[in-house]
Amino acid sequence: MKVLVMNAGSSSLKYQLIDMDNESVLAKGNADRIGIDKSFVKHKAGEKAQVVIEKDLPSHKEAIEVILSLLVDAENGCIKSMEEIGAVGHRVVASGEYFKEPTLVTDESLERMKKTFELAPLHNPAAYTGVMACLAVMPNTPSVLVFDTAFHLTMPEKAYMYNIKYEDYVEYGVRRYGAHGTSHRFVSGKAAEYLGKDPSEVNIITCHLGNGSSISAVKGGKCVDTSMGFTPLAGVCMGTRSGDIDASAVEFLATKKGMDIHQILTYLNKESGLKGLSGGYSDFRDLTANVAEGGVKGARAQLALDIFAYNCKKYVGSYMAVLGKVDAIVFTAGISEWNGFIINNILEGLDVYGIEVDKEKNTDSCPVPVKDITGPNGKVKVLVIPTNEELVIARDTKAVVEK
């Protein structure tokens, strides 16, 4: 079976076509600036050269039509007809408590999906638009909803509940949902495979560190706690997001800066984190360059990096307490895979817990499926594993369609 994986944003649409017989990527690309001027589609099939199609894309429907035409194109495509696509898997950020597992798209599931919009207002309505566009263009091909948050729904009440009136949790669904679930699930499973054990036999701390970062405690293959909360704003310091902050400090800042609730949330989501601490830089390449340059700019960049590492260290330590026995700590996503020094900083001083990093192996690249950077005296495996969320979505889609 060939599965088309769709990841729709408000004005973008990323895609991969995966052959599930050998899990190879046949084609991938993205449509950008949908509904905006100067829209285009970047597409690459196998070893063929990448092509860029500049075309007016007023909606996701037109974007999908272009993508499908490229997939079957004699020169740039990889399949002969649309009938070769057995299913479409759609990434959906928030499931709320409406979906516990990947779900076939039906009239009923689409109505339930609409109820999740307020939980991820930037992402879920866009995903819904993508689903409807696919149904319009491919009405006879089954579609499946795969949720980022679903992996975290195994958390116990003591982990996901907030300390508010219980009735408000029941009425409004205010609780910890987490994010990056497909990534945490993939790398924890990959780590168990590397250890030669069934996921049910191991406890793993997974660190997804990118522009958005989250850390999870995975016990016996199931998530028991995670750093992000009701939204992806909570947890560790991120590229532009504040992470954890006292709610009273939010009110104080809003009053001092003359901001309403929407403005202060924009401030916390887009002007804080590494960007706010460093003076405008959220990319690790810029931050490390500024540190090397020195001066006030370098000092601010170093402070941002130190706070990021310290935040992560605290979550790793707390999840060691939650899990009791830890078999591996896994790092994934862009920051982890290309900035070895940050892993050193996060785990520095944890040798008393049997955690040691081999700094010679911990280089700023991760070209292999699993990079083992455990030190010679380490009792807890330290691994760097590139994530593959699209493959998780494709696997789930295949399983639902074949059920």
Side-chain angles (χ1 to χ4, degrees):
M1 176 188 289
K2 295 180 179 67
V3 174
L4 180 60
V5 176
M6 291 290 195
N7 181 356
S10 57
S11 61
S12 65
L13 181 62
K14 298 178 183 177
Y15 64 93
Q16 285 192 14
L17 182 63
I18 300 176
D19 186 343
M20 296 309 295
D21 289 342
N22 54 17
E23 297 190 339
S24 62
V25 177
L26 301 177
K28 61 181 178 180
N30 67 285
D32 211 346
R33 300 181 63 84
I34 298 171
I36 309 173
D37 62 335
K38 299 180 181 179
S39 51
F40 62 89
V41 177
K42 287 184 178 179
H43 170 85
K44 189 176 190 311
E47 299 301 317
K48 298 178 181 178
Q50 177 178 273
V51 295
V52 179
I53 307 297
E54 296 180 355
K55 183 178 176 62
D56 185 34
L57 302 173
S59 74
H60 286 72
K61 181 176 181 292
E62 285 78 13
I64 289 173
E65 288 174 347
V66 173
I67 290 167
L68 296 180
S69 67
L70 284 168
L71 291 175
V72 298
D73 183 76
E75 184 176 351
N76 299 303
C78 57
I79 55 176
K80 294 181 179 179
S81 74
M82 295 305 304
E83 293 181 358
E84 291 186 42
I85 299 177
V88 183
H90 296 271
R91 178 199 177 221
V92 186
V93 168
S95 65
E97 294 186 325
Y98 300 103
F99 299 92
K100 303 293 185 183
E101 58 189 4
T103 302
L104 190 69
V105 170
T106 62
D107 291 342
E108 179 189 358
S109 62
L110 286 173
E111 285 304 307
R112 278 192 289 151
M113 185 181 178
K114 291 179 184 177
K115 296 178 181 179
T116 68
F117 286 5
E118 62 184 356
L119 299 176
L122 295 179
H123 296 89
N124 277 26
Y128 180 86
T129 299
V131 172
M132 297 307 293
C134 271
L135 291 177
V137 178
M138 309 167 67
N140 299 318
T141 304
S143 285
V144 175
L145 307 175
V146 181
F147 302 90
D148 274 3
T149 55
F151 181 62
H152 303 305
L153 291 178
T154 55
M155 288 188 289
E157 285 184 317
K158 62 184 179 183
Y160 70 70
M161 288 288 295
Y162 286 125
N163 309 324
I164 59 174
K165 285 187 176 180
Y166 187 84
E167 291 78 9
D168 289 334
Y169 155 66
V170 174
E171 178 73 16
Y172 306 116
V174 179
R175 52 160 285 178
R176 185 181 303 278
Y177 287 110
H180 301 138
T182 49
S183 176
H184 289 290
R185 177 152 65 103
F186 177 80
V187 298
S188 60
K190 200 75 174 175
E193 179 184 314
Y194 178 78
L195 296 173
K197 297 183 178 181
D198 188 86
S200 64
E201 301 174 323
V202 294
N203 295 344
I204 298 169
I205 297 172
T206 52
C207 305
H208 178 106
L209 307 182
N211 190 52
S213 298
S214 62
I215 301 176
S216 293
V218 183
K219 186 179 183 68
K222 298 182 182 300
C223 178
V224 295
D225 209 342
T226 193
S227 61
M228 285 183 168
F230 181 67
T231 73
L233 178 58
V236 302
C237 170
M238 292 171 253
T240 63
R241 297 176 218 162
S242 66
D244 294 336
I245 184 172
D246 186 333
S248 293
V250 176
E251 180 191 32
F252 180 85
L253 276 170
T255 301
K256 290 294 185 183
K257 296 173 75 67
M259 293 180 171
D260 62 25
I261 188 65
H262 302 292
Q263 291 170 322
I264 195 65
L265 282 174
T266 298
Y267 169 86
L268 293 173
N269 272 292
K270 297 185 177 181
E271 300 298 328
S272 301
L274 296 172
K275 180 180 179 180
L277 290 166
S278 68
Y281 302 92
S282 60
D283 191 293
F284 261 57
R285 290 166 293 190
D286 295 330
L287 291 167
T288 52
N290 289 347
V291 169
E293 184 179 316
V296 174
K297 185 188 291 185
R300 290 273 297 275
Q302 186 63 63
L303 174 64
L305 293 173
D306 289 345
I307 289 175
F308 177 81
Y310 184 65
N311 281 190
C312 294
K313 183 192 295 284
K314 287 199 295 183
Y315 268 101
V316 168
S318 66
Y319 289 162
M320 289 179 67
V322 166
L323 293 172
K325 175 182 75 74
V326 176
D327 297 281
I329 301 173
V330 179
F331 291 87
T332 191
I335 291 174
S336 300
E337 294 168 26
W338 303 104
N339 299 276
F341 75 91
I342 205 67
I343 298 175
N344 294 335
N345 293 351
I346 292 170
L347 300 184
E348 185 179 10
L350 299 184
D351 51 302
V352 68
Y353 302 109
I355 300 170
E356 182 181 89
V357 177
D358 187 327
K359 294 182 179 180
E360 291 186 5
K361 293 181 180 178
N362 185 27
T363 56
D364 293 348
S365 65
C366 188
V368 294
V370 178
K371 183 167 70 170
D372 190 333
I373 58 173
T374 313
N377 300 311
K379 295 180 173 58
V380 177
K381 284 289 185 182
V382 182
L383 309 173
V384 182
I385 302 176
T387 192
N388 194 335
E389 295 165 281
E390 290 80 13
L391 181 56
V392 172
I393 294 169
R395 286 172 175 171
D396 284 350
T397 299
K398 181 175 182 288
V400 169
V401 171
E402 292 183 343
K403 186 181 296 183

